[in-house]
Amino acid sequence: MPDRGGSPSGPRMRVGRPSRRARTLLMTLGVLAVLAMAFVMFAGFWTDWLWYRSVKYSSVFTTTLWTKIGLFAVFGLLMGLAVGFNIWLAYRLRPPLSAMSLEQQSLDRYRMGVAPFRKWVLLAVAVLVALIAGASASGQWRTWLMWINGVKFGQKDPQFGLDVSFYAFDLPWYRFLLAFGFAAAVLSLIAAALTHYLYGGLRITSPGARATAAATGHLSVLLGVFVSLKAVAYWLDRYGLAVKSSDFKATGNWTGLRYVDANAYLPAKTILFCIAAICAVLFFATLWRRTWQLPVIGFGLMVLSAILIGGLYPAIVQKFQVQPNEQAKEAPYIQKNIDATRKAYAIDSTKPENYSGKSTIKAKDQLRTDADSAASYRVLDPNIVSPTFQQLEQKRKYYQFPTTLDVDRYQGKDTVIGLRELNIKGIPKRNWINDHFTYTHGYGAIMAMGTQTDANGSPVFTEAGLPTTGSIVGPYQQRIYYGEKTDQYSIVGGPQKELDYEDNGEKTTSYKEKSGVSLSGAFNRAAYAVAFSEPQILYSGAIGEGSRILYNRTPKERVEAVAPWLTIDGDAYPAVVDGRIQWIVDAYTTTNGYPYASRTTLGDTTADSLTVGNQQRAVVAQQNQVNYIRNSVKATVDAYDGTVNLYEWDTQDPVLKTWMKAFPDTVKAKSEIDGDLMQHLRYPQDMFKVQRELLTRYHVTDPAQFYSGSDAWQVPDDPTNKDGNAVPPYYLSMKMPGDTAQRFSLTTTFTPNGRPNLGGFMAVDADATSKEYGRLRLLRVTEDVPGPAQVQSKLNGLPDVAQFVRDMKGADSDIQYGNLLTVPLDGGFLYVEPVYAQGRNALYPLLKKVAVSYVDADQPDGDTTKDTTVFEDNLTDALNAVFGVEAPTTPTTPPPGTTPPPPASNDAALKQAIADAQKAYDAGEAALQKGDWTAYGKAQEDLQGALQRAADAGAKLKTTGTSG
């Protein structure tokens, strides 16, 4: 029967509010979601705080945090108040009645729609601009800290007579304030204009006046503020000329004033400042005159003046005064640029010494004797022998060495060193427990003599084995929890044991240091589970009482974190100091505001054939373009417990003093550097590369010669590398002309622009214990001497080299040319280059030959003694050959009391050596099939030794006239 009300039959559906239980559930879920999001955001902050506290640099975290919060709050509040106040003021100044027009009728709908939410809209706009402005201001924390803590340089710029600190510390902050002021004025002007338009104070199509008197006065004041700021900008631009970059054909990248700047732009900026100030007064005067006629005329005059005075006039001066006689006009300013650049890069005391390249000694025996003491020739190239270290001393697949090893000094000898670090990819069975709990650290520092190899061409290890043993450093803590290759986190010290090393069985350990952050508490575990996106941290049974998490484990990463105001050198190197492995990290203070000093781009200047494609050796720059740099800090990172120490190195650097005021008690005094540590400190490579790049031009101090570019140099390409990248500097113990003893030095060569011959040679005393540490000595080669590329080319053309290459290629071996070392010797230059070969079945290169070339410009062209290049089996033979000196002959008569071995014994020795070689070859093939690379490497060593013994026995048989 149909329903009387006309509704359909059946049960009725009621759609209403959710039940109380549902509402409670939804509210609970909403609160939980908000709390979860808040915890996610809080987790990153909390874990950062815990990490900084664990390394005892919590003051860095709090200072940086509070500075950012303060800047965010102050400038966000100022921007919000400025914009909000002008919106409120525009609303208060609205006309009581709006004109009757279609425009106003259309706006009525918007006014009515906004009316109920007017306060909320005002608040929302003010908060939005405050958040944006605050976030932008917080990024200026470095600028603020440098301004508020700035220390005087004690040096004045040559144009305005102001201390350099004004340009380095003050001007950047003033420019930020000016930019903030412009942003506030523009946003306030836009917000006020829109409000006036919405409420009828401004009219576009309505009849009558286009603006009310109130709107006119309000907007005029805002325009006056904008123009006033422009006047301040013109005034600051005057000082900005001293640090302005421009292109100049004499230098390329030019910084500072030139003739046109000092004589056209500078007076133009002053005139424009005056015009802008008058124009601002005219805008403010509209509060009384209520007309825009005069301020508009004044603003037009300012724009026209900016075009004519600020643009056209300098162009005329440049065209008709400077260009016809540019060298003479620019000479005083070039001199200022030269002086400032040399001082800013600490090369002002470096003066080229003429070095003819002509040998001062003609006696071959004397040259040969002097060659022995001229340098400790490093035939073990740290850029090539990493695979050799890897094969002979890796021991387990889960260890690794860096691609490029380091050079240090032990017992006064150049030593190649590499740490046996953890290789997470080599773990036999990958899982979360193995990756982060079981395999946690590397083990041992491997060292080899830099100046010799064994008979097979392998390194002569002075520290080797697992655990390492040797006679160089004594007992030390060999575990490496912090290293260049250690970029994953580990959880140590808890219930889960760690693999220490394998030596006739697994040895386990448990970390006992207080490094890292404790995970004993549930809150910390939850925070790290969120921060690392790894939920197992929260509930894993492998974590318990005593568990600590280690992360941020690379040396450069740790130093950068605790000192975010430092630029970090690309090469952190290890040293065994006082029974601990310490990573030594060189760090720089920089600025981009040194007046008149030319700028350099650190990423480009420090790149060479070793760093290209190797981010591990790339500089970590806080600002990539700088025009002042000092190696002001030496830092260490303990490889076992991760302790970071910063030591003041350059005690006169005002930039470092400024940061030490901002972050007190973070940098230790230079006097606290331990004597053993001092033995291993050295002159940093990236600083040296920046200085050598500047000295390609700034070794010239005469403005006319500098302008002509006739004596400009370049850093040559690495002749041993076909990629066309710059040759790296080399650490080498050597004597410079006039020295009586070798110094541990960092060296480089120069060639004239566009020429392959040698133009200059530079070395710096790199030994931190030396009284002359940091002294740059620059030799200007005055005669035509072959450069590195020419020496390499001649070497490649030698018949002996061609035969060697054919033999190696025939044996399916690859040839690798080592570092081409250059050493001044008795007026000429000695080039030494090790040559390596790596067979198809050999997994590492061995030193096979040594090339030596002695160049003497005193010999006429075509004379073979002008450039003698030899290619021998070892360094001694090569030095003998290059100087034409016979090697000492072995006495044919046996010494008294000895009996020469009978021919039969030589025959037996030959047969035994051949048998041993066959046995080693068979063992190698068997190991190769099993994939046992350790056994394969040992077999290859045995094979090389047996072949050498066979060759020696064969030579003895030939001498005695007996054959086997």
Side-chain angles (χ1 to χ4, degrees):
M1 186 173 178
D3 185 70
R4 292 176 180 268
S7 62
S9 60
R12 297 189 178 187
M13 303 291 293
R14 291 189 60 188
V15 179
R17 297 176 62 190
S19 67
R20 184 174 181 180
R21 179 178 295 178
R23 291 199 305 271
T24 302
L25 179 61
L26 290 173
M27 289 180 63
T28 303
L29 291 175
V31 170
L32 290 175
V34 171
L35 289 176
M37 288 188 291
F39 185 76
V40 169
M41 291 186 290
F42 177 75
F45 163 82
W46 181 246
T47 53
D48 284 347
W49 159 248
L50 291 175
W51 185 85
Y52 275 96
R53 191 175 65 175
S54 74
V55 294
K56 298 179 174 59
Y57 282 88
S58 55
S59 63
V60 174
F61 179 82
T62 54
T63 299
T64 304
L65 177 65
W66 285 116
T67 302
K68 290 179 178 179
I69 291 174
L71 292 172
F72 180 92
V74 170
F75 287 95
L77 183 63
L78 287 175
M79 183 66 77
L81 288 175
V83 175
F85 172 76
N86 280 285
I87 294 175
W88 173 83
L89 184 61
Y91 174 75
R92 291 294 303 270
L93 296 176
R94 71 191 185 282
L97 297 173
S98 57
M100 297 301 295
S101 65
L102 291 176
E103 179 186 27
Q104 294 304 313
Q105 290 176 10
S106 176
L107 290 173
D108 277 341
R109 289 179 296 172
Y110 295 102
R111 286 193 285 263
M112 293 174 63
V114 170
F117 311 104
R118 186 173 59 249
K119 292 182 179 179
W120 291 106
V121 171
L122 173 62
L123 182 61
V125 171
V127 169
L128 178 62
V129 296
L131 290 174
I132 296 173
S136 175
S138 66
Q140 298 294 321
W141 65 271
R142 288 184 177 88
T143 308
W144 161 260
L145 288 176
M146 293 184 79
W147 178 69
I148 200 68
N149 297 288
V151 172
K152 297 291 185 183
F153 273 68
Q155 304 165 17
K156 297 185 181 298
D157 82 279
Q159 183 66 40
F160 301 101
L162 297 175
D163 191 87
V164 171
S165 61
F166 171 80
Y167 302 93
F169 307 141
D170 300 344
L171 190 58
W173 177 248
Y174 296 154
R175 282 176 163 168
F176 163 71
L177 292 179
L178 189 62
F180 178 83
F182 274 123
V186 170
L187 289 175
S188 297
L189 183 62
I190 294 173
L194 289 174
T195 305
H196 281 298
Y197 176 69
L198 180 63
Y199 289 97
L202 289 179
R203 304 161 190 145
I204 298 176
T205 61
S206 300
R210 298 298 182 194
T212 63
T216 299
H218 184 196
L219 297 179
S220 294
V221 169
L222 291 175
L223 286 169
V225 171
F226 179 86
V227 176
S228 298
L229 292 171
K230 187 62 180 174
V232 175
Y234 281 132
W235 188 256
L236 286 181
D237 283 348
R238 300 169 67 254
Y239 302 110
L241 292 172
V243 289
K244 183 193 73 170
S245 289
S246 59
D247 291 328
F248 185 35
K249 68 180 182 180
T251 63
N253 179 20
W254 171 276
T255 300
L257 287 86
R258 290 157 53 191
Y259 180 91
V260 68
D261 296 311
N263 295 278
Y265 280 111
L266 188 57
K269 297 293 183 182
T270 305
I271 294 171
L272 289 171
F273 162 77
C274 296
I275 294 174
I278 295 171
C279 185
V281 172
L282 293 178
F283 273 108
F284 291 135
T286 56
L287 285 173
W288 295 274
R289 292 181 54 85
R290 303 295 183 180
T291 175
W292 280 353
Q293 184 177 5
L294 283 179
V296 168
I297 294 174
F299 188 77
L301 176 61
M302 186 180 73
V303 173
L304 182 63
S305 300
I307 296 172
L308 296 178
I309 302 175
L312 185 59
Y313 174 62
I316 293 173
V317 171
Q318 179 68 24
K319 179 70 175 177
F320 295 102
Q321 290 190 32
V322 178
Q323 288 186 6
N325 192 18
E326 189 172 51
Q327 179 176 321
K329 293 289 187 183
E330 301 289 10
Y333 304 96
I334 292 175
Q335 188 64 62
K336 294 175 183 178
N337 177 267
I338 292 173
D339 295 341
T341 301
R342 288 173 59 86
K343 186 169 291 186
Y345 292 96
I347 55 177
D348 49 319
S349 61
T350 305
K351 302 190 184 323
E353 308 169 30
N354 287 336
Y355 187 85
S356 66
K358 297 179 179 180
S359 178
T360 56
I361 295 176
K362 301 307 175 187
K364 294 179 180 180
D365 291 344
Q366 185 62 49
L367 282 170
R368 176 64 183 89
T369 301
D370 292 347
D372 280 336
S373 61
S376 296
Y377 306 99
R378 185 165 37 74
V379 294
L380 198 67
D381 187 349
N383 312 311
I384 289 181
V385 298
S386 177
T388 309
F389 274 53
Q390 186 85 356
Q391 184 60 31
L392 299 180
E393 288 297 328
Q394 180 189 23
K395 303 303 182 184
R396 298 292 183 269
K397 287 182 65 178
Y398 48 82
Y399 292 133
Q400 63 180 328
F401 290 92
T403 304
T404 300
L405 304 178
D406 289 291
V407 178
D408 202 347
R409 294 144 294 151
Y410 288 87
Q411 298 180 353
K413 298 178 181 179
D414 293 359
T415 301
V416 176
I417 178 173
L419 298 192
R420 188 191 284 120
E421 295 190 44
L422 180 66
N423 176 18
I424 200 74
K425 296 179 181 178
I427 295 176
K429 185 177 181 180
R430 299 290 303 277
N431 55 54
W432 188 65
I433 293 295
N434 279 346
D435 285 1
H436 300 288
F437 292 81
T438 305
Y439 296 87
T440 59
H441 59 279
Y443 212 98
I446 307 302
M447 304 181 193
M449 297 182 65
T451 56
Q452 74 179 77
T453 61
D454 65 15
N456 301 321
S458 295
V460 177
F461 291 107
T462 54
E463 293 286 331
L466 180 66
T468 63
T469 57
S471 58
I472 299 297
V473 296
Y476 67 99
Q477 173 56 261
Q478 298 191 20
R479 297 176 182 91
I480 303 164
Y481 283 86
Y482 296 87
E484 288 183 302
K485 298 287 189 179
T486 315
D487 52 9
Q488 78 285 350
Y489 71 88
S490 289
I491 299 176
V492 298
Q496 180 71 36
K497 291 291 185 180
E498 310 164 47
L499 174 66
D500 204 19
Y501 61 89
E502 292 183 77
D503 181 18
N504 298 322
E506 289 189 355
K507 303 290 193 300
T508 60
T509 187
S510 185
Y511 193 68
K512 300 302 182 185
E513 293 290 335
K514 297 300 182 183
S515 180
V517 178
S518 173
L519 291 181
S520 298
F523 187 82
N524 283 3
R525 291 176 67 172
Y528 278 99
V530 171
F532 287 5
S533 301
E534 182 48 73
Q536 293 187 80
I537 294 177
L538 183 60
Y539 56 77
S540 173
I543 302 175
E545 188 66 30
S547 290
R548 310 186 72 83
I549 185 168
L550 313 180
Y551 62 105
N552 289 350
R553 298 169 71 182
T554 66
K556 291 195 295 184
E557 187 178 30
R558 292 179 78 79
V559 174
E560 183 190 15
V562 303
W565 35 273
L566 288 173
T567 290
I568 311 301
D569 189 271
D571 183 25
Y573 60 98
V576 179
V577 179
D578 295 326
R580 310 276 285 204
I581 299 175
Q582 298 283 351
W583 288 99
I584 301 174
V585 183
D586 284 287
Y588 311 106
T589 47
T590 62
T591 181
N592 195 28
Y594 197 100
Y596 271 105
S598 288
R599 291 181 170 86
T600 187
T601 303
L602 291 179
D604 296 337
T605 305
T606 58
D608 58 34
S609 62
L610 299 183
T611 64
V612 173
N614 185 359
Q615 287 302 311
Q616 182 179 308
R617 294 181 69 89
V619 64
V620 182
Q622 298 302 330
Q623 52 181 161
N624 199 27
Q625 195 170 68
V626 303
N627 67 351
Y628 171 94
I629 185 171
R630 289 292 186 273
N631 175 213
S632 53
V633 171
K634 301 284 189 181
T636 62
V637 177
D638 192 291
Y640 181 59
D641 64 19
T643 300
V644 181
N645 287 311
L646 307 176
Y647 296 100
E648 181 183 15
W649 187 249
D650 189 335
T651 57
Q652 303 301 316
D653 177 30
V655 182
L656 177 61
K657 291 179 181 178
T658 296
W659 285 119
M660 289 174 67
K661 282 181 64 180
F663 296 97
D665 302 323
T666 57
V667 181
K668 297 182 178 181
K670 187 175 184 179
S671 58
E672 295 187 46
I673 297 178
D674 177 79
D676 194 10
L677 173 60
M678 186 70 79
Q679 296 289 331
H680 298 280
L681 300 182
R682 68 189 192 189
Y683 201 82
Q685 292 190 64
D686 285 342
M687 179 78 176
F688 187 73
K689 285 189 278 190
V690 169
Q691 290 174 318
R692 75 171 178 178
E693 180 64 30
L694 270 296
L695 281 168
T696 59
R697 292 172 291 152
Y698 287 92
H699 66 279
V700 176
T701 56
D702 177 69
Q705 189 179 15
F706 189 92
Y707 177 86
S708 69
S710 60
D711 195 24
W713 295 343
Q714 64 187 11
V715 177
D717 292 337
D718 188 348
T720 67
N721 189 305
K722 296 180 180 179
D723 294 336
N725 298 307
V727 62
Y730 297 122
Y731 286 107
L732 180 69
S733 292
M734 55 161 289
K735 290 194 297 187
M736 287 288 281
D739 287 349
T740 57
Q742 294 181 15
R743 302 174 186 269
F744 185 68
S745 305
L746 189 56
T747 67
T748 191
T749 54
F750 299 97
T751 58
N753 266 352
R755 295 284 309 282
N757 56 291
L758 196 62
F761 176 85
M762 185 169 74
V764 63
D765 189 336
D767 184 355
T769 63
S770 170
K771 293 181 179 180
E772 294 195 346
Y773 169 84
R775 180 192 176 194
L776 291 163
R777 291 194 59 187
L778 180 60
L779 305 181
R780 185 203 305 271
V781 183
T782 58
E783 300 291 336
D784 188 10
V785 172
Q790 291 173 307
V791 170
Q792 186 71 42
S793 177
K794 182 170 183 179
L795 169 65
N796 294 340
L798 291 178
D800 289 348
V801 175
Q803 183 62 47
F804 174 74
V805 171
R806 284 194 296 269
D807 292 344
M808 291 297 101
K809 294 297 183 183
D812 202 11
S813 297
D814 293 327
I815 298 171
Q816 298 182 50
Y817 293 101
N819 38 223
L820 181 57
L821 305 175
T822 308
V823 177
L825 175 63
D826 292 334
F829 284 96
L830 189 68
Y831 290 94
V832 176
E833 181 177 23
V835 181
Y836 295 79
Q838 181 172 343
R840 181 176 62 86
N841 294 326
L843 298 181
Y844 55 93
L846 296 170
L847 180 68
K848 291 298 182 183
K849 294 284 186 177
V850 177
V852 173
S853 180
Y854 183 67
V855 293
D856 177 9
D858 195 35
Q859 301 298 332
D861 289 335
D863 192 317
T864 56
T865 59
K866 179 181 178 66
D867 178 4
T868 306
T869 303
V870 299
F871 191 65
E872 300 294 337
D873 291 336
N874 54 62
L875 178 62
T876 300
D877 290 347
L879 290 174
N880 290 337
V882 80
F883 294 114
V885 176
E886 293 293 331
T889 57
T890 304
T892 56
T893 304
T898 63
T899 303
S905 65
N906 292 331
D907 189 32
L910 176 60
K911 291 179 179 180
Q912 182 62 49
I914 294 173
D916 290 343
Q918 184 62 47
K919 182 179 178 181
Y921 176 80
D922 293 339
E925 290 297 306
L928 190 62
Q929 292 178 359
K930 295 178 181 178
D932 188 344
W933 301 116
T934 302
Y936 180 79
K938 179 65 169 59
Q940 291 298 308
E941 291 182 56
D942 294 342
L943 177 60
Q944 293 287 347
L947 291 176
Q948 184 63 47
R949 285 189 284 112
D952 294 343
K956 291 178 181 178
L957 286 172
K958 185 176 181 180
T959 302
T960 59
T962 305
S963 65

